[in-house]
Coordinates of all heavy atoms in Angstrom, one line a residue:
V1 N 101.2 69.5 77.1 CA 100.3 68.8 78.0 C 100.5 69.5 79.4 O 101.6 69.7 79.9 CB 100.7 67.3 78.2 CG1 99.9 66.7 79.3 CG2 100.6 66.6 76.9
L2 N 99.4 70.0 79.9 CA 99.3 70.6 81.2 C 98.9 69.6 82.2 O 97.8 69.1 82.1 CB 98.4 71.8 81.2 CG 98.7 72.9 80.2 CD1 97.6 73.9 80.2 CD2 100.0 73.5 80.5
S3 N 99.7 69.2 83.1 CA 99.4 68.1 84.1 C 98.9 68.7 85.4 O 97.9 68.5 85.9 CB 100.5 67.1 84.2 OG 101.7 67.8 84.6
E4 N 99.8 69.5 86.1 CA 99.5 70.0 87.4 C 99.1 71.4 87.4 O 98.4 71.9 88.2 CB 100.7 69.8 88.3 CG 101.1 68.4 88.6 CD 99.9 67.6 89.2 OE1 99.3 68.2 90.1 OE2 99.7 66.4 88.9
S5 N 99.5 72.2 86.4 CA 99.3 73.6 86.3 C 97.8 73.9 86.1 O 97.1 73.2 85.3 CB 100.1 74.2 85.2 OG 99.9 75.6 85.1
R6 N 97.3 74.9 86.7 CA 95.9 75.4 86.5 C 95.9 76.8 85.9 O 94.9 77.4 85.9 CB 95.2 75.3 87.8 CG 95.1 73.9 88.4 CD 94.2 73.8 89.6 NE 94.2 72.5 90.2 CZ 93.4 71.5 89.8 NH1 92.5 71.7 88.9 NH2 93.5 70.3 90.4
I7 N 97.1 77.2 85.4 CA 97.3 78.5 84.9 C 98.1 78.4 83.6 O 99.1 77.7 83.5 CB 98.0 79.4 85.9 CG1 97.3 79.5 87.2 CG2 98.3 80.8 85.3 CD1 96.9 80.8 87.7
I8 N 97.6 79.1 82.6 CA 98.4 79.3 81.4 C 99.0 80.6 81.4 O 98.4 81.6 81.7 CB 97.5 79.2 80.1 CG1 96.8 77.8 79.9 CG2 98.3 79.6 78.8 CD1 95.8 77.8 78.8
S9 N 100.3 80.7 81.2 CA 101.0 82.0 81.2 C 101.3 82.4 79.7 O 101.8 81.6 79.0 CB 102.3 81.8 81.9 OG 103.0 83.0 82.0
V10 N 100.9 83.6 79.4 CA 101.1 84.1 78.0 C 101.8 85.4 78.1 O 101.4 86.3 78.9 CB 99.7 84.3 77.3 CG1 99.9 84.9 76.0 CG2 99.0 82.9 77.3
T11 N 102.8 85.6 77.3 CA 103.5 86.9 77.2 C 103.1 87.6 75.9 O 103.2 87.0 74.8 CB 105.0 86.8 77.3 OG1 105.3 86.2 78.6 CG2 105.7 88.1 77.3
V12 N 102.6 88.8 76.0 CA 102.2 89.5 74.8 C 103.2 90.6 74.5 O 103.5 91.4 75.4 CB 100.8 90.2 75.0 CG1 100.4 91.0 73.8 CG2 99.8 89.1 75.2
I13 N 103.8 90.6 73.3 CA 104.7 91.6 72.9 C 104.0 92.5 71.8 O 103.5 92.0 70.8 CB 106.0 91.0 72.3 CG1 106.7 90.1 73.3 CG2 106.9 92.1 71.8 CD1 107.8 89.3 72.8
A14 N 103.9 93.8 72.1 CA 103.2 94.7 71.2 C 103.9 94.8 69.9 O 105.1 94.9 69.8 CB 103.1 96.1 71.8
S15 N 103.2 94.7 68.8 CA 103.7 94.8 67.5 C 103.9 96.3 67.1 O 103.0 97.1 67.3 CB 102.8 94.2 66.4 OG 103.2 94.5 65.1
P16 N 105.1 96.7 66.6 CA 105.3 98.1 66.3 C 104.4 98.5 65.2 O 104.1 99.7 65.1 CB 106.8 98.1 65.8 CG 107.4 96.8 66.1 CD 106.3 95.8 66.4
A17 N 103.9 97.6 64.4 CA 103.0 97.9 63.3 C 101.5 98.1 63.7 O 100.7 98.6 63.0 CB 103.1 96.9 62.2
A18 N 101.2 97.6 64.9 CA 99.9 97.7 65.4 C 99.5 99.1 65.9 O 100.4 99.8 66.5 CB 99.7 96.7 66.5
P19 N 98.3 99.5 65.6 CA 97.9 100.9 66.1 C 98.0 100.9 67.6 O 97.8 99.9 68.3 CB 96.5 101.0 65.6 CG 96.3 99.9 64.6 CD 97.3 98.9 64.9
S20 N 98.3 102.1 68.1 CA 98.4 102.3 69.6 C 97.1 101.9 70.2 O 96.0 102.3 69.7 CB 98.7 103.7 69.9 OG 98.8 103.9 71.3
G21 N 97.1 101.2 71.3 CA 95.9 100.8 72.0 C 95.2 99.5 71.5 O 94.2 99.2 72.0
T22 N 95.8 98.9 70.5 CA 95.3 97.6 70.0 C 95.3 96.6 71.1 O 96.2 96.4 71.8 CB 96.1 97.1 68.8 OG1 96.1 98.1 67.8 CG2 95.5 95.8 68.2
K23 N 94.1 95.9 71.3 CA 94.0 94.9 72.3 C 93.9 93.5 71.6 O 93.3 93.4 70.6 CB 92.7 95.1 73.1 CG 92.8 96.4 73.9 CD 91.6 96.5 74.9 CE 91.8 97.8 75.7 NZ 90.7 98.0 76.6
Q24 N 94.6 92.6 72.3 CA 94.5 91.2 71.8 C 93.6 90.4 72.7 O 93.4 90.7 73.9 CB 95.9 90.5 71.9 CG 96.9 91.1 71.0 CD 96.7 90.4 69.6 OE1 96.0 89.4 69.4 NE2 97.2 91.1 68.6
S25 N 92.9 89.4 72.2 CA 92.1 88.5 73.0 C 92.6 87.1 72.9 O 93.1 86.7 71.8 CB 90.6 88.6 72.5 OG 90.1 89.8 72.8
L26 N 92.5 86.4 74.0 CA 92.8 84.9 74.0 C 91.5 84.2 74.1 O 90.7 84.6 75.0 CB 93.7 84.6 75.2 CG 94.1 83.1 75.3 CD1 95.5 83.0 75.8 CD2 93.1 82.5 76.3
N27 N 91.3 83.3 73.2 CA 90.0 82.5 73.3 C 90.4 81.0 73.4 O 91.4 80.6 72.8 CB 89.2 82.7 72.0 CG 88.7 84.1 71.9 OD1 88.0 84.6 72.8 ND2 89.1 84.8 70.8
I28 N 89.7 80.3 74.2 CA 89.9 78.8 74.4 C 88.7 78.1 73.9 O 87.5 78.4 74.2 CB 90.1 78.5 75.9 CG1 91.3 79.3 76.4 CG2 90.3 77.0 76.0 CD1 91.5 79.1 77.9
Y29 N 88.9 77.1 73.0 CA 87.9 76.3 72.4 C 88.0 74.9 72.8 O 89.2 74.4 72.8 CB 87.9 76.5 70.9 CG 87.7 77.9 70.4 CD1 88.7 78.7 70.2 CD2 86.4 78.3 70.2 CE1 88.6 80.0 69.8 CE2 86.2 79.7 69.7 CZ 87.3 80.5 69.5 OH 87.1 81.8 69.1
N30 N 86.9 74.1 73.0 CA 87.0 72.7 73.2 C 87.2 72.0 71.9 O 87.2 72.6 70.8 CB 85.9 72.2 74.1 CG 84.5 72.3 73.4 OD1 84.4 72.5 72.2 ND2 83.5 72.3 74.2
A31 N 87.2 70.6 72.0 CA 87.4 69.8 70.8 C 86.2 69.9 69.8 O 86.3 69.6 68.6 CB 87.7 68.4 71.2
L32 N 85.1 70.4 70.3 CA 83.9 70.5 69.5 C 83.8 71.9 68.8 O 82.9 72.2 68.1 CB 82.6 70.3 70.3 CG 82.5 68.9 70.9 CD1 81.3 68.9 71.8 CD2 82.4 67.8 69.9
G33 N 84.8 72.7 69.1 CA 84.8 74.1 68.5 C 84.0 75.1 69.3 O 83.8 76.2 68.9
E34 N 83.5 74.7 70.5 CA 82.8 75.6 71.3 C 83.7 76.5 72.2 O 84.6 76.0 72.8 CB 81.8 74.8 72.3 CG 80.9 74.0 71.5 CD 80.2 72.9 72.4 OE1 80.8 72.5 73.4 OE2 79.0 72.6 72.1
Q35 N 83.5 77.8 72.2 CA 84.3 78.7 73.0 C 84.0 78.4 74.5 O 82.8 78.5 74.9 CB 84.0 80.1 72.7 CG 85.0 81.1 73.4 CD 84.8 82.5 72.9 OE1 84.5 82.8 71.8 NE2 85.1 83.4 73.8
V36 N 85.0 78.1 75.3 CA 84.8 77.8 76.7 C 85.6 78.8 77.6 O 85.5 78.7 78.8 CB 85.3 76.3 77.0 CG1 84.4 75.3 76.3 CG2 86.7 76.1 76.7
G37 N 86.3 79.7 77.0 CA 87.0 80.7 77.8 C 87.4 81.9 76.9 O 87.6 81.7 75.7
S38 N 87.6 83.0 77.5 CA 88.1 84.2 76.8 C 88.7 85.2 77.8 O 88.2 85.3 78.9 CB 86.9 84.8 76.0 OG 87.3 86.0 75.4
Q39 N 89.7 85.9 77.3 CA 90.3 86.9 78.2 C 91.0 88.0 77.3 O 91.6 87.6 76.3 CB 91.3 86.3 79.1 CG 91.9 87.3 80.1 CD 92.7 86.6 81.2 OE1 92.3 85.6 81.7 NE2 93.8 87.3 81.6
H40 N 90.8 89.2 77.7 CA 91.6 90.3 77.0 C 93.0 90.3 77.5 O 93.2 90.1 78.7 CB 90.9 91.6 77.2 CG 89.6 91.8 76.5 ND1 89.5 91.9 75.1 CD2 88.3 91.8 76.9 CE1 88.2 92.0 74.8 NE2 87.5 91.9 75.9
L41 N 94.0 90.5 76.7 CA 95.4 90.5 77.1 C 95.9 91.9 77.0 O 95.5 92.7 76.2 CB 96.2 89.6 76.1 CG 95.7 88.1 76.0 CD1 96.5 87.4 74.9 CD2 95.8 87.4 77.3
T42 N 96.9 92.1 77.9 CA 97.6 93.4 77.9 C 99.0 93.1 77.6 O 99.5 91.9 77.6 CB 97.5 94.0 79.3 OG1 98.1 93.1 80.3 CG2 96.1 94.3 79.7
A43 N 99.8 94.1 77.2 CA 101.2 93.9 76.9 C 101.9 93.4 78.1 O 101.6 93.8 79.3 CB 101.8 95.2 76.4
G44 N 102.8 92.4 78.0 CA 103.5 91.8 79.1 C 103.0 90.5 79.4 O 102.3 89.8 78.6
K45 N 103.2 90.0 80.6 CA 102.8 88.7 81.0 C 101.4 88.7 81.5 O 100.9 89.5 82.2 CB 103.7 88.2 82.2 CG 103.5 86.8 82.6 CD 104.5 86.4 83.7 CE 104.2 84.9 84.1 NZ 105.1 84.5 85.1
N46 N 100.6 87.7 81.0 CA 99.2 87.5 81.3 C 99.1 86.0 81.9 O 99.7 85.1 81.4 CB 98.3 87.6 80.1 CG 98.3 89.0 79.6 OD1 97.5 89.8 79.9 ND2 99.3 89.4 78.8
E47 N 98.2 85.8 82.9 CA 97.9 84.5 83.4 C 96.4 84.2 83.2 O 95.6 85.1 83.5 CB 98.3 84.4 84.8 CG 99.8 84.4 85.0 CD 100.3 84.2 86.4 OE1 99.4 84.3 87.4 OE2 101.5 84.0 86.7
I48 N 96.1 83.0 82.7 CA 94.8 82.6 82.4 C 94.5 81.4 83.3 O 95.1 80.4 83.2 CB 94.5 82.3 80.9 CG1 94.7 83.6 80.1 CG2 93.1 81.8 80.7 CD1 96.1 83.8 79.7
N49 N 93.5 81.5 84.2 CA 93.1 80.4 85.1 C 92.3 79.4 84.3 O 91.3 79.7 83.7 CB 92.3 81.0 86.2 CG 92.0 79.9 87.3 OD1 92.0 78.7 87.0 ND2 91.7 80.4 88.5
I50 N 92.8 78.1 84.3 CA 92.1 77.1 83.6 C 91.6 76.0 84.5 O 91.3 74.9 84.1 CB 93.0 76.4 82.5 CG1 94.3 75.9 83.2 CG2 93.4 77.4 81.4 CD1 95.1 75.0 82.3
S51 N 91.5 76.3 85.8 CA 91.0 75.3 86.8 C 89.6 74.9 86.5 O 89.2 73.8 87.0 CB 91.2 75.9 88.2 OG 90.3 77.0 88.4
N52 N 88.8 75.6 85.8 CA 87.4 75.2 85.5 C 87.3 74.3 84.3 O 86.2 73.8 84.0 CB 86.6 76.5 85.3 CG 87.0 77.3 84.1 OD1 88.2 77.3 83.8 ND2 86.1 77.9 83.4
L53 N 88.4 74.0 83.6 CA 88.4 73.2 82.4 C 88.6 71.7 82.8 O 89.5 71.4 83.6 CB 89.4 73.6 81.4 CG 89.2 75.0 80.9 CD1 90.3 75.4 79.9 CD2 87.8 75.2 80.2
S54 N 87.9 70.8 82.3 CA 88.1 69.4 82.5 C 89.2 68.9 81.7 O 89.7 69.6 80.8 CB 86.8 68.6 82.0 OG 85.7 69.2 82.4
N55 N 89.6 67.6 81.9 CA 90.7 67.0 81.1 C 90.2 67.0 79.7 O 89.0 66.8 79.4 CB 90.9 65.5 81.6 CG 91.6 65.5 82.9 OD1 92.1 66.4 83.4 ND2 91.6 64.3 83.5
G56 N 91.1 67.1 78.7 CA 90.7 67.1 77.3 C 91.6 67.9 76.5 O 92.6 68.4 76.9
I57 N 91.2 68.0 75.2 CA 92.0 68.8 74.2 C 91.3 70.1 74.0 O 90.0 70.1 73.8 CB 92.0 68.0 72.9 CG1 92.8 66.7 73.1 CG2 92.7 68.8 71.8 CD1 92.8 65.7 71.9
Y58 N 92.1 71.1 74.0 CA 91.6 72.5 73.8 C 92.4 73.2 72.8 O 93.6 72.8 72.6 CB 91.6 73.3 75.1 CG 90.6 72.7 76.2 CD1 91.1 71.7 77.0 CD2 89.3 73.1 76.2 CE1 90.2 71.1 78.0 CE2 88.4 72.6 77.2 CZ 88.9 71.6 78.0 OH 88.0 71.0 78.9
F59 N 91.9 74.2 72.2 CA 92.7 75.1 71.3 C 92.7 76.5 71.8 O 91.6 77.0 72.1 CB 92.1 75.0 69.9 CG 92.1 73.6 69.3 CD1 91.1 72.7 69.5 CD2 93.3 73.2 68.6 CE1 91.1 71.5 69.0 CE2 93.3 71.9 68.1 CZ 92.3 71.0 68.3
V60 N 93.9 77.0 72.0 CA 94.0 78.4 72.5 C 94.4 79.2 71.3 O 95.3 79.0 70.6 CB 95.2 78.4 73.5 CG1 95.4 79.9 74.0 CG2 94.9 77.5 74.7
K61 N 93.6 80.3 71.1 CA 93.7 81.1 69.9 C 94.0 82.6 70.3 O 93.2 83.1 71.1 CB 92.5 81.1 69.0 CG 92.6 81.8 67.7 CD 91.4 81.6 66.9 CE 91.5 82.4 65.6 NZ 90.4 82.4 64.7
I62 N 95.0 83.1 69.8 CA 95.3 84.6 70.0 C 95.5 85.1 68.6 O 96.4 84.7 67.8 CB 96.6 84.8 70.8 CG1 96.5 84.2 72.2 CG2 96.9 86.3 70.9 CD1 97.8 84.2 73.0
G63 N 94.6 86.1 68.2 CA 94.6 86.6 66.9 C 94.4 85.5 65.9 O 93.4 84.8 66.0
N64 N 95.3 85.3 64.9 CA 95.2 84.3 63.9 C 96.0 83.0 64.2 O 96.1 82.1 63.4 CB 95.6 84.8 62.5 CG 94.7 85.9 62.0 OD1 93.5 85.9 62.2 ND2 95.2 86.9 61.3
T65 N 96.5 83.0 65.4 CA 97.4 81.8 65.8 C 96.6 81.0 66.8 O 96.1 81.5 67.8 CB 98.7 82.3 66.4 OG1 99.3 83.2 65.4 CG2 99.6 81.2 66.7
A66 N 96.6 79.7 66.5 CA 96.0 78.7 67.4 C 97.0 77.6 67.8 O 97.7 77.2 66.9 CB 94.7 78.1 66.8
K67 N 96.9 77.2 69.0 CA 97.8 76.1 69.5 C 96.9 75.1 70.2 O 96.0 75.5 71.0 CB 98.9 76.6 70.5 CG 99.8 77.6 69.8 CD 100.8 76.9 68.9 CE 101.7 77.8 68.3 NZ 102.6 77.3 67.3
K68 N 97.3 73.8 70.1 CA 96.5 72.7 70.8 C 97.1 72.6 72.2 O 98.3 72.6 72.4 CB 96.7 71.4 70.0 CG 95.9 70.3 70.7 CD 95.9 69.1 69.8 CE 97.2 68.3 70.0 NZ 97.2 67.0 69.3
V69 N 96.3 72.5 73.2 CA 96.7 72.3 74.6 C 95.9 71.0 75.1 O 94.7 70.9 74.9 CB 96.3 73.5 75.4 CG1 96.6 73.2 76.9 CG2 97.1 74.7 75.0
V70 N 96.6 70.1 75.7 CA 96.0 68.9 76.3 C 96.1 69.1 77.8 O 97.1 69.3 78.4 CB 96.7 67.6 75.9 CG1 96.1 66.4 76.6 CG2 96.7 67.5 74.4
I71 N 94.9 69.0 78.5 CA 94.9 69.1 79.9 C 94.6 67.7 80.5 O 93.7 67.1 80.1 CB 93.7 70.1 80.4 CG1 94.0 71.5 79.9 CG2 93.6 70.1 81.9 CD1 92.9 72.5 80.2
R72 N 95.6 67.3 81.3 CA 95.5 66.0 82.0 C 95.9 66.2 83.4 O 97.0 66.6 83.7 CB 96.5 65.1 81.2 CG 96.3 63.6 81.6 CD 97.2 62.7 80.9 NE 97.1 63.0 79.4 CZ 98.2 62.9 78.6 NH1 99.3 62.5 79.0 NH2 98.0 63.1 77.3
R73 N 95.0 65.9 84.3 CA 95.3 66.1 85.7 C 95.3 64.7 86.4 O 94.7 63.9 86.1 CB 94.3 67.0 86.4 CG 94.4 68.4 85.8 CD 93.6 69.4 86.6 NE 93.6 70.6 86.0 CZ 92.6 71.2 85.3 NH1 91.4 70.6 85.3 NH2 92.7 72.3 84.8

């Protein structure tokens, strides 16, 4: 649950098996499955501004991994 924060912090660790220069994308979906945000990630720490998102349930997807995030301000 994100209450006061308006930034999601994501750390990307490059996979040794991934081809050099492989880029990851972070996608944010609302509860209806509509994409409401997207950002290309670089190796290391990345910050994603979520101040434009209303209270609600979102799914953050990086590659094949998705996590539920609840925004409550």
Side-chain angles (χ1 to χ4, degrees):
V1 176
L2 300 174
S3 54
E4 296 300 320
S5 179
R6 297 183 186 274
I7 303 235
I8 295 175
S9 180
V10 177
T11 300
V12 176
I13 300 171
S15 168
S20 179
T22 300
K23 294 185 179 182
Q24 290 282 341
S25 291
L26 176 141
N27 297 302
I28 302 173
Y29 299 91
N30 64 17
L32 300 174
E34 300 167 328
Q35 185 173 331
V36 294
S38 178
Q39 182 169 325
H40 290 289
L41 304 175
T42 59
K45 185 175 180 180
N46 294 264
E47 293 184 347
I48 295 87
N49 186 336
I50 57 167
S51 62
N52 63 326
L53 299 178
S54 318
N55 290 345
I57 297 173
Y58 296 88
F59 297 91
V60 177
K61 185 175 180 185
I62 301 174
N64 293 326
T65 303
K67 298 289 182 183
K68 180 171 82 170
V69 175
V70 178
I71 297 176
R72 191 177 312 147
R73 298 188 182 108

